Amino acid sequence: MAIRKFAVLGALALAGVSLFGLSAKAEDVTISVWSLDRDIQPAPNLVKDFNKLNNGIKVEYRQIQFDDVVSEAMRAYSTGQAPDIIAVDNPEHALFSSRGAFLDLTDMISKSTVVKPENYFPGPLKSVMWDGKYYGVPKATNTIALYYNKDMFKAKGLDPNKPPKTWDELVEDARKLTDPAKNVYGLAFSAKANEEGTFQFLPWAQMGGGGYENINADGAVKALETWKTIMDEKLASPDSLTRGQWDSTGTFNSGNAAMAISGPWELDRMMKEAKFDWGVTLLPVPKEGAERSSAMGDFNWAIFASSKHPDEAFKVLEFFASQDDKMFKNYGQLPARSDITIPATGEALKDDALKVFIEQLKYAKPRGPHPQWPKISKAIQDAIQAALTGQMSPKDALDQAADKIKAVLG
Amino acid sequence: MKRILSSVRDGRGFDIALVAFPLIFLFVMAGLPLIYNVVMSFQEVDMFSLGTFSRPFVGFKNYTDLFALPETWPILRNTAIFVIGSIAGQFLIGFGLALFFWVNFPGASWLRGLFLVSWVMPGLVVGAIWNWILSGDFGVLNFILKESGIISGNIFWRSDPHYSLYAVIIANVWLGTAFNMILLSVGLSSIPGDLYEAAELDGANAWQRFWTITLPMMRSTIGAIVALGLIFTLQQFDLFAAITSGGPNNSSNVTQYWAWDLSFRQYDFAKGATISVIMIVFVMIASVVYVRSTRHEVRG
């Protein structure tokens, strides 16, 4: 008897809930969001916060894997099942916008009181643009700078407050800091044959006056020659050729490299692992006073052109953008905005580093934008690797890359 | 209708059905993708035309473009070295171990079981472990070689273009040896013992017994293992992804990794399909050789 009572109660409760759910669904517009963020990263939490507003728009979140973002999105789009909103890696943004897969947001942005182009860093903003129009909103951003071990600088008689400013100084300091007997390399960076290699090399080429359109400019050749000097003299581990940035920086944290080129995503790990005094400085330039540049990473938000509720989707993006000021505090990511001052965390090392990264972000340039970016990037990676393994001279390698890129650009 | 039913009852139709179902299954699951792959290699395919069938035909352009690339021949050569090196290593060590455990000392079957651990582990995990072992600065392998005085300076297994391919081969040999050993052990145990007794009575020494009894009796097992080894090494992908990513400068790149890179990293699906077709041709040649080599076999 008692059991039956409970069953009836349970059924009633279930019916109530589902009725409630149905009625909620009937009026709500559902917006689906795909991104690669895990539960401790922004997207799922922002979605949760948005759904709490109960403003007639319900957001559904789906996490996808980094390697699957493009192929999954492309498959979904071509079969008409694309989500309303997606986060894509910034060099891949142009691939979709150039083919009309992403919605042109120019008009919406011009009317918006939240998303204002002038508030964004120029680099991230450029990555969402195609043909002078806006096809997305930068989600977050990051860049690379030079980490250095102040204790090692002191031990080798270098001024710990004068990190290298130019390429020559960097090589010179690396020579002094390299100590094979102690298993210490002067520098750690990544020249891996994937996007990470391009990410690390392109700023050097750009500082030398090159770029993906003229990758064999004299300054870019000089940049690759500098890299080759570093590799040839074993100032950096030969494994830099096959190691990603995360593993390379790990050798810095464990005291096996005196300097490392890496990004702000390492700060939390470094605070925990690095048992020495360290600092961050801007990427060295070819010579005093030369133009600066830096890599620009992280993802962009975009709305698919196939979305049935573009206005509601844009409202969701506006909400995401309105939360940018909490990005660093809550998730350790840098907002792509120049109008936001990030409050101090109270940890001196981290706060000092943050200042450098914010400064460096002003010089960050996007990769591309070009719809064929992966092929361009591959040509650059091949050139880096051919030169560093000694199979081609830096000049020849970059000439070959320039030819390949020319063929892609048409 | 009645005729069909009766044919099922009298057994003839049933026989046909028995053959037809697997054939249809095979065609749908293996044949269609294969044909699709070949068709794709003659088309121009990119990200957005992947979902449709109406794509421009370009004839042999993908093939000619592919062979005009400077990296194509080195990668094909790497693939050949990888396949031959891996199969030879796996087979020789596997055969050695199988013969060793055949002696059947106390605990032999236990130990043999333990060897299977390497076969059970996922390729990516094996790759990650070998990635550390082969690391240039702090790798265990360099430490062992240095301490035993074989080398004086560190070898950068993953990053030196002279070693990178062999780094992956070493890892793959380790991965596949256990499987070879188990199959060869099964083959060995199926050889009747009285053959050896008779040979011993006739005065054949250990080497002669191995050469005239063990090897000929193992012929079909060995053929199967080499054929399987070819398939397994040609689909070996995880180790490349985990250890060298095909680098540096394509020195450890092989066709299967390259096909993936072209399709899913550069979104050139047509070229990826073209390489797959070339690989299919090689596998077919190898399987024809295998079938012919075991055709005259006496069974039972």
Side-chain angles (χ1 to χ4, degrees):
Chain A
M1 190 62 204
I3 291 173
R4 187 184 287 176
K5 210 190 232 165
F6 270 119
V8 169
L9 272 177
L12 276 175
L14 262 178
V17 167
S18 54
L19 265 179
F20 180 77
L22 275 178
S23 62
K25 264 216 177 99
E27 25 184 285
D28 280 5
V29 170
T30 307
I31 299 290
S32 52
V33 174
W34 290 5
S35 109
L36 80 168
D37 283 2
R38 284 170 289 129
D39 49 357
I40 53 161
Q41 290 171 316
N45 291 294
L46 290 173
V47 165
K48 231 181 272 165
D49 292 345
F50 184 85
N51 282 336
K52 275 188 207 137
L53 299 179
N54 244 335
N55 57 359
I57 304 172
K58 204 172 144 284
V59 181
E60 278 172 358
Y61 181 67
R62 183 181 158 214
Q63 190 195 330
I64 39 183
Q65 296 302 314
F66 179 83
D67 286 332
D68 301 335
V69 173
V70 174
S71 52
E72 190 92 333
M74 173 238 357
R75 195 149 16 107
Y77 179 72
S78 56
T79 52
Q81 291 163 337
D84 297 281
I85 299 175
I86 192 169
V88 293
D89 202 0
N90 72 71
E92 274 150 4
H93 206 108
L95 181 77
F96 288 91
S97 19
S98 69
R99 302 295 291 264
F102 283 166
L103 193 67
D104 178 1
L105 303 179
T106 315
D107 290 343
M108 291 182 186
I109 287 178
S110 68
K111 283 181 213 134
S112 173
T113 53
V114 186
V115 181
K116 291 180 187 147
E118 64 269 23
N119 289 346
Y120 286 86
F121 287 116
L125 192 66
K126 203 180 161 206
S127 77
V128 300
M129 291 179 74
W130 180 251
D131 228 3
K133 296 192 188 95
Y134 298 111
Y135 285 90
V137 177
K139 175 170 176 274
T141 191
N142 62 47
T143 187
I144 49 175
L146 183 72
Y147 287 93
Y148 64 103
N149 183 329
K150 289 188 179 175
D151 289 349
M152 280 191 190
F153 268 60
K154 266 181 243 165
K156 295 285 173 187
L158 294 166
D159 187 344
N161 294 315
K162 269 204 191 133
K165 285 199 178 62
T166 63
W167 293 354
D168 290 341
E169 281 174 33
L170 179 74
V171 174
E172 205 45 56
D173 287 357
R175 277 186 192 129
K176 285 180 191 145
L177 290 160
T178 302
D179 192 344
K182 287 189 186 150
N183 263 329
V184 174
Y185 287 104
L187 182 68
F189 67 105
S190 171
K192 201 179 175 182
N194 64 11
E195 193 61 35
E196 286 189 89
T198 314
F199 186 69
Q200 290 242 328
F201 179 72
L202 204 58
W204 289 64
Q206 286 163 343
M207 286 188 276
Y212 74 92
E213 307 98 327
N214 54 337
I215 194 68
N216 56 350
D218 291 343
V221 174
K222 173 95 194 306
L224 192 50
E225 278 165 0
T226 311
W227 274 37
K228 192 166 161 51
T229 310
I230 293 170
M231 297 304 292
D232 285 354
E233 294 184 22
K234 294 244 167 137
L235 306 178
S237 168
D239 272 348
S240 307
L241 282 168
T242 48
R243 212 160 44 185
Q245 299 176 97
W246 181 259
D247 290 335
S248 275
T249 316
T251 67
F252 174 79
N253 293 353
S254 58
N256 293 110
M259 299 182 277
I261 297 174
S262 197
W265 59 84
E266 297 285 356
L267 286 171
D268 285 336
R269 177 167 73 139
M270 215 172 272
M271 294 301 294
K272 259 184 255 149
E273 284 179 5
K275 305 274 179 271
F276 49 82
D277 190 17
W278 49 269
V280 187
T281 186
L282 297 176
L283 272 190
V285 288
K287 53 179 177 285
E288 207 78 56
E291 190 201 343
R292 287 190 180 281
S293 175
S294 185
M296 195 202 81
D298 228 308
F299 280 53
N300 294 326
W301 290 118
I303 300 175
F304 268 103
S306 56
S307 170
K308 287 193 185 68
H309 308 285
D311 293 326
E312 284 83 356
F314 189 69
K315 275 199 192 112
V316 176
L317 285 196
E318 283 187 319
F319 174 79
F320 289 173
S322 71
Q323 306 296 308
D324 276 350
D325 53 336
K326 298 173 196 128
M327 272 297 228
F328 190 72
K329 188 172 148 270
N330 292 355
Y331 315 108
Q333 295 192 1
L334 294 175
R337 310 249 302 251
S338 51
D339 64 325
I340 292 175
T341 1
I342 297 171
T345 56
E347 292 168 295
L349 281 172
K350 208 170 160 182
D351 288 336
D352 289 348
L354 183 65
K355 268 182 223 136
V356 179
F357 279 116
I358 297 287
E359 162 84 9
Q360 183 86 76
L361 266 182
K362 290 183 193 152
Y363 313 111
K365 288 182 187 163
R367 285 158 280 159
H370 194 278
Q372 300 271 29
W373 183 254
K375 279 190 186 159
I376 297 170
S377 177
K378 175 81 171 132
I380 299 174
Q381 297 153 25
D382 284 349
I384 300 172
Q385 296 231 317
L388 296 189
T389 52
Q391 289 165 331
M392 283 172 115
S393 75
K395 173 93 178 102
D396 290 345
L398 288 175
D399 281 345
Q400 194 185 56
D403 286 342
K404 283 192 206 164
I405 293 172
K406 211 178 279 164
V408 174
L409 296 179
Chain B
M1 189 64 202
K2 209 172 162 195
R3 221 161 51 97
I4 296 172
L5 268 180
S6 75
S7 84
V8 168
R9 218 173 307 125
D10 72 18
R12 212 153 23 91
F14 186 65
D15 290 353
I16 294 169
L18 269 188
V19 177
F21 278 120
L23 275 181
I24 292 169
F25 183 81
L26 208 68
F27 180 72
V28 171
M29 294 311 218
L32 280 184
L34 203 86
I35 295 168
Y36 183 68
N37 194 50
V38 174
V39 170
M40 208 151 88
S41 76
F42 291 105
Q43 289 177 321
E44 196 185 299
V45 189
D46 74 353
M47 290 271 297
F48 291 88
S49 57
L50 195 63
T52 59
F53 282 100
S54 58
R55 294 179 290 229
F57 265 87
V58 292
F60 279 94
K61 188 170 177 294
N62 286 321
Y63 291 84
T64 50
D65 280 0
L66 197 75
F67 281 97
L69 290 175
E71 60 258 42
T72 305
W73 286 111
I75 289 174
L76 286 175
R77 216 191 83 214
N78 286 345
T79 313
I81 296 175
F82 177 73
V83 167
I84 294 169
S86 296
I87 293 180
Q90 289 172 356
F91 177 76
L92 290 177
I93 301 175
F95 207 1
L97 285 170
L99 287 169
F100 175 65
F101 287 117
W102 196 31
V103 177
N104 227 354
F105 51 89
S109 54
W110 260 87
L111 269 177
R112 193 166 50 194
L114 278 180
F115 267 91
L116 269 188
V117 168
S118 68
W119 180 249
V120 176
M121 277 208 280
L124 269 178
V125 177
V126 175
I129 293 170
W130 275 96
N131 200 4
W132 296 326
I133 297 177
L134 294 165
S135 139
D137 293 312
F138 314 105
V140 181
L141 185 62
N142 273 343
F143 179 77
I144 294 169
L145 291 177
K146 237 179 1 188
E147 290 300 301
S148 52
I150 296 171
I151 56 170
S152 53
N154 283 338
I155 294 176
F156 286 84
W157 293 98
R158 286 154 36 198
S159 315
D160 188 326
H162 301 105
Y163 291 101
S164 54
L165 184 61
Y166 297 96
V168 188
I169 292 178
I170 292 172
N172 195 34
V173 167
W174 183 85
L175 183 66
T177 294
F179 180 70
N180 277 251
M181 181 197 78
I182 290 296
L183 281 195
L184 288 164
S185 292
V186 173
L188 281 176
S189 61
S190 69
I191 302 174
D194 45 1
L195 275 179
Y196 289 99
E197 276 169 35
E200 231 167 324
L201 284 177
D202 289 342
N205 63 24
W207 176 247
Q208 284 168 329
R209 289 197 301 266
F210 175 77
W211 200 247
T212 54
I213 301 173
T214 314
L215 266 189
M217 294 294 285
M218 295 282 285
R219 190 173 161 174
S220 62
T221 314
I222 291 169
I225 284 175
V226 171
L228 281 177
L230 181 77
I231 293 163
F232 286 142
T233 48
L234 273 181
Q235 67 179 29
Q236 179 52 261
F237 172 84
D238 305 359
L239 291 179
F240 289 94
I243 299 177
T244 62
S245 311
N249 194 26
N250 288 324
S251 61
S252 64
N253 207 354
V254 288
T255 43
Q256 61 268 40
Y257 188 80
W258 197 31
W260 170 82
D261 190 274
L262 280 171
S263 296
F264 295 104
R265 286 247 299 264
Q266 303 179 50
Y267 311 121
D268 196 337
F269 294 95
K271 289 237 176 53
T274 309
I275 299 172
S276 308
V277 171
I278 296 171
M279 286 174 73
I280 293 169
V281 172
F282 276 115
V283 173
M284 278 180 168
I285 293 172
S287 50
V288 166
V289 171
Y290 163 66
V291 169
R292 287 189 70 89
S293 75
T294 53
R295 200 172 46 174
H296 304 295
E297 197 168 276
V298 186
R299 287 174 207 278

